[in-house]
Amino acid sequence: MPDRFRTRIAWFAGALGILILSSGLMIASVTQWRLHLLAGLWLLSLPARRLIGQHGTTADHSVRGLMLVATLGFAAIGLQLARNQVTQSEATLRAVASLAQPVAVEQPQPIFPETDPAERTSLGSARTYPVVINVGTRGRIVDRNGVVLAETVDGRRTYPNPALGHLIGFQSRLYGTTGLEARFDAQLSGVATLSPTTILEARLLGSAVEQVPADLTLTLDSRLQAAAQQALGERAGAVVLLDVPTGAILAMVTYPRFDPNQLVLPEPATQADVDRVQAAWAELNARSDAPLLNRATQGRYPPGSVIKTLTAAAALDSGVLADPSATVTCPNLLPTEAGAPPVRNAVDNLFRRTGDPSDLVRVYAFSCNTAFAQIGLSLGADRFLEYARRFGLQMTDTRAGPPDLRDIPAEVGTIANEASFLQRPAALADTAFGQGQALVTPLDMAQMAASVANEGRLMRPYLVAEARAGERVIYRAQPETLRQVVSPETSRRMLDIMRTSVEIGYAQPIALPGINIGAKTGTAETPRGVPHSWIVAVAPVEQPRYAIAVIVEYGGEGSRSALPVAREVLAAALEVTP
Amino acid sequence: MKRGAIEQRWQGLALIAPLIILAACTEPLVEPRAPRTPTAVIDRYNAIVATAEAGDDLLERAKAYYDRGNIWFDQQNYTEAIADYDRALALDPSMSRAFHNRGLAYAMLKEYDAALRDYALAIRLDPAYRRAYENRVRLLEQLTASTPDETLLQQLADDYGSLAQLIPEAEAPYRYRQGVILARLGDRTAAREAFDAALRARPQHVDALYERALLHYAGGDLNAALADLDAALRLSPRAANAYYVRGLIRRAQGDTRSAIADFGQALLLQPAYPEALIARATAYAEQGNTTAAQADLQRLDNLQLDPTLQQAREALRARLGAP
Amino acid sequence: MATIARLRARLGGRTLELELLITAFLFITICLAALIAGAGGRVRWVDLTIIGAFAGLFLTISLALALRDWGEEQMVLPIAALLAGIGMIMARRLEPDLVQRYGEVYGGIALKQVIWIFGGAVLLALVSFVPWRLQWLKHYRYTWLLLGLALVGATAVFGVERNGARLWLSLGFFQLQPVEMLKVLLVIYLATYLDDHRALIGRGVYWLGPLKLPPLPYLAPIVIMWGATIGLIIVQKDLGAALLFFVIFLAMLYVVSGRARYAAAGLFAFALGAAALYPLFGHVRVRLNAWLDPWSDPFGIGFQMVRALHALAAGGWAGAGIGAGDPTTVPESHTDFVFVAIGEELGLAGTLALTACYALFALKGYLIAIRARDGFQQLLAVGLTTAIAAQAFIIMAGTTHLIPLTGITLPFISYGGSSTLINFAMVGLLLRISASRKPPRTL
């Protein structure tokens, strides 16, 4: 018994000795320490095993074994803690400090990613060079006679004619680029004179590019533009003057308008300049009369009686009316369908002027609503719609394509909100003489007049004739026939009808000495009560050169406000004294 | 019976208690605390410094300050770290590591001039001090990323050269990087040499092949450029940009058909690749295939383009006629 | 009168638990006071409410146990309460530092932990007081087995990946860690199985060449368990859970068979399996290399271990004091490495005390097993105790660099919902097993 006791003491002492001695091992010898710990605990377990005893069931015995294991295990953790926190703590602290590469720096990145070349989707440093195309040397914009409309002076874009903001737009560091400046930016900056691959090469290799800024020549005629501006004066509205054979825009006026110069910052700009430009921009945007809107291409108005030109052309072209002398009546009232109010003329007893029965020429000249309602109904919704489409008017719910004019922002005129609308007789009758849902731009109406006058061909309207970089022409507009709207025969008949409207009808006041003019006035009802005043006209009838459309917002009857404007502009264009 | 009732009552309470507590927790449990420096660790190092100060071994004292500086650094207190490195360097001005670490600390404080000065001192003391080069390279990369300063770029190129010499197993990547920087500096001859060295160390370094091809291309040696690109594409048949560049070169050589095939391959590998689209559309336009060119132009509408690419697109539009 | 006397007698029989609980609350209150004093000294209602509710909840449970008078073990509950309280304090102490260092995702962990602890205590009360029979655990063995398999399957299919391991099931409001659930289900099922096959001891030994193999009812589960745990390592990359499950199994097998060499052979086989995986699997290799010499790559694989050793060393004898250290430099300081955080702030004194607490818990748990009423309950107690003790050992030894680090929570202290809830449920089961005077109908 004492012997066994002594053995146990020896084991115990040995274990303690191993543990105490080895706890001083350097931190680098941690494996050695772990082995010593294991050995020490094993030695400790030998005497401790005696404590378990043999009493109880096997299971109890085993559980006591587990208790011993748990005790020794947690004792091991205690010893490990003593080593970590006391005997080796200073060494650990020094070792961490001496790692010398402070940890806060990003983890040493794998500088050399050993990707399999076959897996690579992109090679090289992916470096690109910025390609600077100097905006200081920007091309000029001139009218058809070379009158400068936009140029860069001392690095600053200036617009000598301040009334063309709605066409030319502006190039502003604060508010971007608009109008022709935006649409033809590539030509004006000279980018268009470069091959795309030259730019790509410069981007890839840093090589130099040499672009030549191009000058734009417009179809606009400054003289006619000034005349139109003068004629419209300071009334809200728009004037569009087209060259009939080509579709070129000769004059395009809108009012109210804005001066693009006030939106351009000088270089270098002071804070005062910035404030001034910002104030001007804020004021333009805050105004309720929308000076930034180009009414000639973006203003959508009810067409009023000018649309009768379309209805008449459709009736003749489709054969619904055999010829201009075909019999048409002009009753005071025309019932269309049950429950709908009957169509009524603007003045009662109009048949006294048109005659009873009358013909197409006279009902057009005196703008008889009931007559055109009947013509519309005879055409039927499908045929009427087909002709509206040919003239470029679409349906709001199924806009078929972009506007014909590409050079500046424009809106597409619409004949109705949806096709089903015209299936109702009352709606078809209304639309045929100029009421209903139709909303058109002045440009649409000018195009209508021009195509009727141009042997039935609808031309694409355009504003930029060519872009020229030095001696090189890099862009030239070609007159483009969009489609044959009506036959040349119909065109001739319509010109006669329109001329008669001037000779005997409401459009009489437009007459100019020595010139035959064809025209149609229009009075479009507005919710406000005062109607919009419209006119479309072509001249000279024998060989039409000019087509014009004028709208004066809330200008009253067509012959009163719009007609004198058109007359003045045509007089200027035809160079006659009114 | 009665005992059951008591039990139930206790159970009810035990269930309700947490709900009451949750209701009480209208204010956050832990208040946000201002950043603070934990001092306990530093206290241990202060003790080590004090022990060293008591002795008269200068080097031992320097080492103690240096150690504590590292711990300050670790705690992101760079000002204190720099102060300790200063003390260590005053005692032992040959501690290249202290210079290096001080440079790192200055870099963390965004005092880049001081950082570069310290790195230079560390490297002068120990010209084979790899870590110092690596950290200087990292700093220089960062500094030259936005503003390409020529002196710094030259320094960066030199450092990559030094690293390439110091670490032979990494010569190829470092020479390649050196070449890229030299090319950026516009020194084509030196860049060529660097890429040559990279390719000598590792002939299948596809990036170096690609970059050298760009150098040849810029220098007008289109055949050499094609040879390098062919080699790169043999190794990396999925590298879209290599196809794109090869297409550009072939177009420049007048081989529009092959160019279109290369652009097509690039677009197959990377469908949203505006450069390749513009290049292919241009090539189609040159072939007279306006329809295909228009189709590519339309695909561009769905991609984000930077100003240069927008200009290239405008040039393409102008070339295709319609404004 | 007689009732009051009886009640008083009952309360008198359970003073130890009460005293220990009050001591634990005192300790936690002092820790909280130190924390508040260090942070500026403003005492707020929410702190008082929580500490009051914490004390109230556990005292209520203790009083209820006393009134019921089933004679449960008295030291288990106070130890669990003390550890959970320390966990609560640590979550509260670490939250602002974690938020500052790693971002807002760590906001609110203190409050969440309080809620988990209260939820755990309620769960414990439910297990203890809701009338049910321990035998049910045995009767519905296949339900538990199926539930466990379903959990494993669901995790494999719907699990959420974090740190490259798919160990979480998202339940919307919180993410369940099915491994914790699995732990209890495994103990219950093993207890049932081993108790059923107890009679086969010593029979059916057969020889495979020179090797004497254990009887099939033992051999089969050994092989299956070994395969399952190795599979766990390969598929879920969860070394800690694998080791824990295997240790639980070996301990229960040892108790049933009485043969230490089965357990030793099992451990050897596990080591062999891990060694075989070493060259094949990156995560095993990283763990082992980080254990063998963290200093060789102090910013890579050894980063966490070096940080942990530094924090422990910075703690020293007495620690920096609660709230005065910088324990969040060690990643995962609120979950796996919470022991290191305690080591830095409470020093060797604190860590040794904690170790002693776990050791005491283990010893008490095994004593419960020895006194258990039948073989099934004994095995259950052994399994539950081993689960908690082994888990504590694995993570404490791992974070102190004694054995390779395997990610697993420190029972009761680590932040985490699943782990806290399940651990309290396990304590509830242990208490139920230890009830020496429970009426026979509740067996």
Side-chain angles (χ1 to χ4, degrees):
Chain A
M1 196 63 187
D3 271 355
R4 195 178 282 171
F5 185 70
R6 225 174 288 152
T7 334
R8 283 192 213 170
I9 294 289
W11 279 339
F12 192 68
L16 277 186
I18 289 179
L19 294 174
I20 290 170
L21 286 178
S22 60
S23 72
L25 280 174
M26 287 305 294
I27 54 165
S29 323
V30 62
T31 309
Q32 216 172 330
W33 149 254
R34 287 192 196 115
L35 288 175
H36 287 193
L37 184 61
L38 202 61
L41 288 175
W42 178 253
L43 278 180
L44 268 182
S45 78
L46 293 179
R49 256 210 302 229
R50 302 281 162 196
L51 297 172
I52 293 177
Q54 291 292 343
H55 54 280
T57 62
T58 326
D60 291 350
H61 184 77
S62 302
V63 176
R64 283 199 299 275
L66 286 179
M67 288 166 80
L68 176 60
V69 170
T71 314
L72 287 176
F74 286 113
I77 291 180
L79 288 166
Q80 175 78 1
L81 281 168
R83 178 179 146 89
N84 281 344
Q85 300 202 261
V86 179
T87 57
Q88 289 299 312
S89 70
E90 186 137 319
T92 309
L93 292 170
R94 294 299 295 256
V96 169
S98 296
L99 287 175
Q101 292 312 322
V103 193
V105 184
E106 1 162 353
Q107 300 271 318
Q109 30 175 284
I111 309 179
F112 321 117
E114 286 292 330
T115 329
D116 179 3
E119 298 292 312
R120 298 287 299 277
T121 57
S122 171
L123 303 182
S125 61
R127 162 188 75 250
T128 58
Y129 295 91
V131 182
V132 182
I133 291 177
N134 191 355
V135 289
T137 58
R138 195 174 170 83
R140 301 184 308 161
I141 301 178
V142 299
D143 86 337
R144 60 165 55 220
N145 301 316
V147 177
V148 175
L149 305 177
E151 64 183 333
T152 303
V153 181
D154 300 334
R156 184 186 174 177
R157 199 70 173 159
T158 52
Y159 303 98
N161 183 347
L164 296 178
H166 58 292
L167 303 179
I168 292 176
F170 53 82
Q171 195 199 21
S172 163
R173 234 177 47 210
L174 289 179
Y175 302 113
T177 310
T178 64
L180 290 173
E181 291 270 34
R183 207 79 184 84
F184 288 84
D185 191 51
Q187 284 77 12
L188 290 166
S189 67
V191 167
T193 63
L194 297 169
S195 162
T197 46
T198 310
I199 299 176
L200 292 176
E201 273 181 4
R203 176 184 166 82
L204 185 71
L205 306 172
S207 46
V209 293
E210 279 180 26
Q211 79 285 359
V212 187
D215 292 339
L216 291 190
T217 304
L218 304 190
T219 58
L220 218 60
D221 185 324
S222 289
R223 188 177 65 83
L224 298 180
Q225 178 77 13
Q229 232 165 272
Q230 168 100 41
L232 182 63
E234 300 197 341
R235 288 176 290 179
V239 181
V240 179
L241 180 66
L242 294 180
D243 182 57
V244 168
T246 60
I249 295 169
L250 298 172
M252 182 176 267
V253 174
T254 183
Y255 192 88
R257 48 183 171 258
F258 68 99
D259 178 1
N261 290 303
Q262 62 181 335
L263 298 175
V264 180
L265 275 182
E267 292 287 346
T270 63
Q271 186 58 43
D273 293 324
V274 173
D275 290 346
R276 185 171 46 70
V277 168
Q278 283 176 339
W281 180 249
E283 199 238 314
L284 286 174
N285 278 291
R287 270 165 64 178
S288 60
D289 56 358
L292 293 169
L293 181 79
N294 181 5
R295 285 168 163 72
T297 60
Q298 294 171 302
R300 295 182 351 117
Y301 302 93
S305 298
V306 292
I307 205 76
K308 285 171 182 158
T309 315
L310 187 156
T311 311
L316 286 174
D317 198 60
S318 62
V320 164
L321 293 180
D323 58 71
S325 59
T327 306
V328 186
T329 60
C330 180
N332 273 346
L333 287 177
L334 180 79
T336 51
E337 62 177 271
V343 175
R344 173 190 297 277
N345 284 329
V347 288
D348 278 343
N349 302 331
L350 192 59
F351 53 83
R352 291 188 188 153
R353 295 195 187 200
T354 61
D356 191 17
S358 181
D359 55 18
L360 178 60
V361 179
R362 296 181 70 83
V363 294
Y364 183 84
F366 294 103
S367 205
C368 175
N369 288 354
T370 50
F372 278 90
Q374 292 175 72
I375 296 172
L377 290 171
S378 318
L379 273 166
D382 293 345
R383 232 169 344 188
F384 182 75
L385 207 55
E386 166 58 23
Y387 276 95
R389 279 207 186 99
R390 289 199 202 172
F391 276 104
L393 300 182
Q394 303 182 358
M395 214 66 62
T396 311
D397 62 344
T398 54
R399 290 256 170 111
D404 295 340
L405 176 64
R406 287 168 170 170
D407 296 354
I408 54 172
E411 286 282 332
V412 178
T414 53
I415 193 70
N417 288 346
E418 67 238 330
S420 59
F421 174 74
L422 293 178
Q423 298 299 336
R424 287 181 43 213
L428 178 59
D430 282 353
T431 310
F433 71 82
Q435 286 179 13
Q437 295 177 336
L439 288 173
V440 300
T441 68
L443 177 63
D444 288 329
M445 292 300 96
Q447 275 183 274
M448 178 183 75
S451 56
V452 163
N454 189 32
E455 299 183 329
R457 282 198 303 273
L458 180 67
M459 306 300 291
R460 183 184 293 288
Y462 63 98
L463 198 51
V464 175
E466 64 173 31
R468 190 184 282 271
E471 288 308 302
R472 221 175 102 214
V473 174
I474 59 166
Y475 172 81
R476 173 167 284 156
Q478 299 295 338
E480 181 189 350
T481 305
L482 288 168
R483 56 195 160 262
Q484 188 77 35
V485 178
V486 291
S487 67
E489 170 68 19
T490 309
S491 162
R492 266 192 305 281
R493 289 169 163 184
M494 279 307 298
L495 281 172
D496 269 351
I497 293 173
M498 290 174 80
R499 193 192 61 208
T500 315
S501 167
V502 173
E503 282 170 354
I504 63 164
Y506 286 163
Q508 213 165 11
I510 203 173
L512 285 169
I515 309 279
N516 282 325
I517 298 177
K520 177 82 194 83
T521 56
T523 308
E525 289 178 10
T526 65
R528 233 203 248 174
V530 189
H532 293 320
S533 177
W534 273 104
I535 191 167
V536 294
V538 294
V541 170
E542 295 74 22
Q543 183 83 48
R545 280 171 58 202
Y546 302 107
I548 188 169
V550 177
I551 184 167
V552 178
E553 288 180 17
Y554 309 109
E557 276 174 22
S559 52
R560 212 170 54 210
S561 303
L563 184 141
V565 177
R567 185 164 183 265
E568 268 183 58
V569 177
L570 285 179
L574 297 160
E575 298 185 51
V576 293
T577 323
Chain B
M1 185 59 212
K2 192 171 185 181
R3 185 200 285 170
I6 292 173
E7 251 178 51
Q8 274 175 6
R9 212 169 297 154
W10 283 121
Q11 285 162 17
L13 258 181
L15 278 170
I16 292 165
L19 296 178
I20 298 171
I21 292 138
L22 278 181
C25 288
T26 46
E27 45 184 328
L29 183 53
V30 178
E31 288 176 281
R33 190 159 68 187
R36 89 208 144 77
T37 314
T39 52
V41 176
I42 283 296
D43 285 346
R44 300 286 308 250
Y45 286 94
N46 287 342
I48 294 174
V49 167
T51 319
E53 280 286 349
D56 43 52
D57 183 346
L58 283 184
L59 294 183
E60 189 59 31
R61 280 162 65 192
K63 183 77 169 59
Y65 281 118
Y66 169 76
D67 282 353
R68 193 174 66 182
N70 285 344
I71 294 305
W72 280 122
F73 190 111
D74 192 30
Q75 297 192 345
Q76 297 168 15
N77 191 334
Y78 304 115
T79 326
E80 288 291 348
I82 289 170
D84 267 350
Y85 294 139
D86 284 344
R87 291 186 196 109
L89 287 167
L91 291 162
D92 177 5
S94 69
M95 284 179 87
S96 55
R97 299 186 131 209
F99 276 118
H100 164 264
N101 287 4
R102 193 172 70 180
L104 215 47
Y106 277 126
M108 301 305 285
L109 290 174
K110 300 198 177 359
E111 292 181 31
Y112 299 124
D113 291 338
L116 290 175
R117 198 178 55 232
D118 273 352
Y119 287 145
L121 286 168
I123 287 170
R124 189 184 300 164
L125 283 169
D126 180 0
Y129 193 173
R130 174 178 162 178
R131 206 63 190 240
Y133 285 111
E134 284 172 350
N135 276 316
R136 183 158 72 176
V137 156
R138 202 169 291 155
L139 178 58
L140 287 171
E141 286 275 13
Q142 186 191 328
L143 291 179
T144 53
S146 47
T147 47
D149 178 290
E150 286 220 357
T151 331
L152 296 185
L153 279 173
Q154 193 58 54
Q155 176 77 71
L156 183 54
D158 291 349
D159 278 359
Y160 277 133
S162 309
L163 279 168
Q165 280 174 351
L166 276 175
I167 315 169
E169 67 271 20
E171 182 175 1
Y174 277 130
R175 286 287 177 210
Y176 161 69
R177 267 145 207 268
Q178 188 188 20
V180 169
I181 300 297
L182 288 169
R184 213 174 129 189
L185 275 167
D187 189 348
R188 282 194 200 148
T189 327
R192 257 291 299 278
E193 278 165 14
F195 290 134
D196 287 346
L199 286 166
R200 265 198 305 281
R202 179 138 51 94
Q204 64 276 38
H205 198 295
V206 282
D207 295 300
L209 281 170
Y210 172 85
E211 290 287 344
R212 194 169 68 179
L214 288 186
L215 282 185
H216 287 310
Y217 184 11
D221 189 352
L222 298 186
N223 286 325
L226 274 185
D228 275 351
L229 282 178
D230 287 341
L233 280 170
R234 262 197 299 282
L235 292 162
S236 302
R238 291 169 58 192
N241 63 343
Y243 283 108
Y244 160 67
V245 174
R246 193 169 73 177
L248 283 182
I249 295 173
R250 285 182 161 168
R251 198 203 71 90
Q253 283 182 330
D255 187 358
T256 315
R257 275 173 60 99
S258 311
I260 288 174
D262 273 345
F263 297 140
Q265 187 63 30
L267 285 165
L268 208 65
L269 292 165
Q270 189 184 322
Y273 197 165
E275 286 98 327
L277 274 172
I278 294 171
R280 189 169 71 175
T282 314
Y284 276 138
E286 280 165 4
Q287 268 192 340
N289 187 349
T290 322
T291 325
Q294 288 285 2
D296 280 352
L297 184 62
Q298 261 175 20
R299 269 175 74 183
L300 275 174
D301 290 345
N302 306 323
L303 299 179
Q304 286 278 331
L305 301 183
D306 63 23
T308 305
L309 288 178
Q310 282 173 17
Q311 286 172 341
R313 182 185 58 189
E314 291 319 308
L316 175 63
R317 280 224 175 107
R319 169 152 299 213
L320 288 175
Chain C
M1 280 313 278
T3 325
I4 291 171
R6 205 163 64 232
L7 279 178
R8 190 178 290 161
R10 285 180 178 181
L11 289 176
R14 241 183 135 68
T15 45
L16 176 63
E17 187 174 74
L18 220 54
E19 285 163 14
L20 287 176
L21 272 175
I22 289 169
T23 317
F25 299 144
L26 280 179
F27 178 74
I28 294 161
T29 314
I30 290 168
C31 280
L32 187 66
L35 199 52
I36 290 173
R42 201 158 73 84
V43 180
R44 300 178 311 152
W45 273 109
V46 60
D47 288 318
L48 295 178
T49 319
I50 284 175
I51 201 85
F54 184 83
L57 197 52
F58 282 99
L59 286 176
T60 308
I61 293 171
S62 176
L63 281 173
L65 288 174
L67 286 175
R68 192 171 64 173
D69 194 27
W70 281 6
E72 283 93 348
E73 162 60 41
Q74 296 194 44
M75 275 171 81
V76 175
L77 183 64
I79 292 176
L82 173 68
L83 295 176
I86 294 174
M88 189 168 84
I89 297 291
M90 285 315 285
R92 192 185 190 290
R93 180 257 167 279
L94 291 174
E95 182 184 322
D97 286 17
L98 285 169
V99 168
Q100 191 188 321
R101 194 180 289 261
Y102 301 108
E104 277 302 322
V105 283
Y106 290 99
I109 63 166
L111 181 59
K112 282 191 213 157
Q113 184 64 6
V114 168
I115 294 171
W116 295 134
I117 290 171
F118 289 169
V122 171
L123 200 57
L124 185 151
L126 287 177
V127 173
S128 299
F129 293 106
V130 171
W132 63 286
R133 309 179 60 175
L134 274 169
Q135 285 300 322
W136 290 355
L137 294 179
K138 204 169 174 177
H139 289 159
Y140 296 110
R141 65 188 77 169
Y142 293 109
T143 312
W144 312 131
L145 184 66
L146 281 177
L147 195 58
L149 291 176
L151 268 176
V152 172
T155 318
V157 180
F158 306 109
V160 185
E161 288 232 13
R162 264 197 232 160
N163 305 331
R166 189 177 275 218
L167 303 179
W168 284 267
L169 258 186
S170 179
L171 292 183
F173 59 98
F174 98 113
Q175 306 222 308
L176 178 79
Q177 220 177 339
V179 161
E180 299 284 346
M181 258 322 262
L182 219 51
K183 194 166 67 181
V184 188
L185 295 177
L186 180 81
V187 166
I188 295 172
Y189 183 75
L190 278 179
T192 316
Y193 178 88
L194 291 175
D195 190 41
D196 284 351
H197 297 83
R198 189 187 289 275
L200 295 166
I201 295 175
R203 266 193 275 153
V205 176
Y206 56 96
W207 296 82
L208 184 75
L211 284 173
K212 189 171 136 194
L213 288 180
L216 206 60
Y218 291 134
L219 184 64
I222 291 179
V223 173
I224 290 171
M225 271 306 291
W226 182 84
T229 47
I230 297 295
L232 204 59
I233 299 176
I234 296 171
V235 179
Q236 303 219 318
K237 305 190 175 179
D238 195 352
L239 280 169
L243 182 59
L244 176 63
F245 287 1
F246 206 62
V247 166
I248 294 172
F249 166 71
L250 290 179
M252 293 173 78
L253 187 72
Y254 171 49
V255 168
V256 156
S257 66
R259 297 192 184 176
R261 78 176 80 95
Y262 288 176
L267 270 183
F268 183 68
F270 185 86
L272 215 62
L277 293 180
Y278 175 82
L280 294 177
F281 289 93
H283 60 284
V284 182
R285 203 158 51 229
V286 164
R287 289 288 167 80
L288 262 173
N289 286 341
W291 177 63
L292 287 172
D293 190 5
W295 302 94
S296 63
D297 185 7
F299 303 108
I301 57 166
F303 180 74
Q304 209 172 20
M305 203 66 244
V306 166
R307 290 274 109 189
L309 288 175
H310 188 232
L312 283 174
W317 275 107
I322 191 134
D326 189 16
T328 51
T329 55
V330 188
E332 299 295 329
S333 57
H334 61 307
T335 55
D336 293 1
F337 277 81
V338 70
F339 189 58
V340 170
I342 295 171
E344 180 173 349
E345 304 218 315
L346 297 183
L348 181 64
T351 48
L352 280 185
L354 269 190
T355 316
C357 279
Y358 281 110
L360 206 57
F361 185 93
L363 294 184
K364 279 293 168 186
Y366 289 133
L367 275 180
I368 290 174
I370 288 175
R371 291 176 192 148
R373 204 173 280 219
D374 58 38
F376 170 66
Q377 295 196 16
Q378 179 175 52
L379 276 173
L380 204 55
V382 166
L384 295 172
T385 310
T386 310
I388 290 180
Q391 188 171 343
F393 176 84
I394 289 170
I395 189 61
M396 283 157 84
T399 50
T400 53
H401 200 210
L402 184 61
I403 64 170
L405 177 66
T406 54
I408 200 165
T409 54
L410 183 59
F412 302 109
I413 299 185
S414 281
Y415 168 77
S418 323
S419 135
T420 308
L421 291 176
I422 294 295
N423 283 325
F424 272 107
M426 287 163 73
V427 172
L429 278 177
L430 269 179
L431 282 178
R432 193 148 188 125
I433 295 169
S434 72
S436 54
R437 290 195 291 278
K438 59 190 162 198
R441 65 180 164 86
T442 61
L443 272 176

